[in-house]
Amino acid sequence: MKNRSCYQGFSLVEVTLALGITGFCLLAVLGLLPSGTKVSRDATQSTKANLVAAQVMNFLRSDVRLPPGQANKVCGDGTQTCSWANLHGHWFAVATPDTLYFTNEVKQTGNVVNSPGSAPPSDAAFVANMKYMIPPTVTTSICRITVAWPAAAAPVQANGDLNLTNVAGSVELFVTINR
């Protein structure tokens, strides 16, 4: 009898086929990465916009009439510069939309804007628009809060609303303001 030596292993065809299947699978996975990062970025921006809306809602709900001579401490401990104090009682007195700008770190920047056509601050990433539903009363009003991003893509229109045609995303909610 002849003693045959057995070589065990894969043939060249099998190796080529396995590499082809592996390459096809990797190509499909790598093709999904850009859409996955876009979804993640959009979710992050949406979460920040909801934080902005919650800040505005909480301020509007907590804006109470102060006794004469008492200072409004709307900006907290003084470490943050903000112009939210300008909104104090504004919802009843004027009932026109107000616009606030926020940075990417969800900090208020710039001044309260009540007129269309004004440019956002250079560091603004989000724009929050508060439109008070007519007729406001001394005790109650309904406010529509719209937060959009990027701020530069959402100019204020003549009626005080935001133009949302070129924005990457927006969040809208309604809040009841009781006094």
Side-chain angles (χ1 to χ4, degrees):
M1 276 199 148
K2 282 187 169 185
N3 188 3
R4 287 196 224 194
S5 60
C6 293
Y7 293 102
Q8 294 180 343
F10 298 105
S11 70
L12 187 57
V13 173
E14 291 171 329
V15 170
T16 304
L17 188 59
L19 286 175
I21 292 172
T22 303
F24 181 76
C25 292
L26 283 176
L27 188 63
V29 168
L30 290 176
L32 292 175
L33 284 179
S35 64
T37 55
K38 182 184 181 317
V39 168
S40 175
R41 183 177 54 249
D42 290 347
T44 301
Q45 294 297 89
S46 180
T47 300
K48 288 180 181 181
N50 282 317
L51 288 172
V52 167
Q55 280 185 11
V56 171
M57 178 185 68
N58 290 336
F59 170 72
L60 290 175
R61 283 192 166 172
S62 67
D63 183 27
V64 296
R65 291 191 192 116
L66 299 172
Q70 185 173 356
N72 187 353
K73 297 184 173 80
V74 72
C75 295
D77 59 2
T79 60
Q80 176 182 345
T81 57
C82 70
S83 62
W84 293 36
N86 297 340
L87 291 177
H88 183 70
H90 181 75
W91 62 276
F92 175 68
V94 180
T96 58
D98 294 312
T99 304
L100 288 172
Y101 294 97
F102 292 82
T103 65
N104 206 27
E105 291 79 29
V106 192
K107 302 283 185 198
Q108 196 264 331
T109 182
N111 294 319
V112 176
V113 178
N114 304 106
S115 60
S118 57
S122 59
D123 60 344
F126 297 93
V127 57
N129 183 269
M130 292 83 66
K131 185 167 188 177
Y132 311 99
M133 300 296 143
I134 304 294
T137 65
V138 177
T139 58
T140 306
S141 182
I142 297 175
C143 179
R144 183 187 76 204
I145 301 171
T146 306
V147 179
W149 65 91
V156 180
Q157 300 179 59
N159 64 355
D161 290 338
L162 296 177
N163 183 352
L164 301 176
T165 54
N166 296 323
V167 298
S170 66
V171 173
E172 183 176 83
L173 62 99
F174 291 84
V175 62
T176 303
I177 306 168
N178 292 321
R179 300 288 179 252

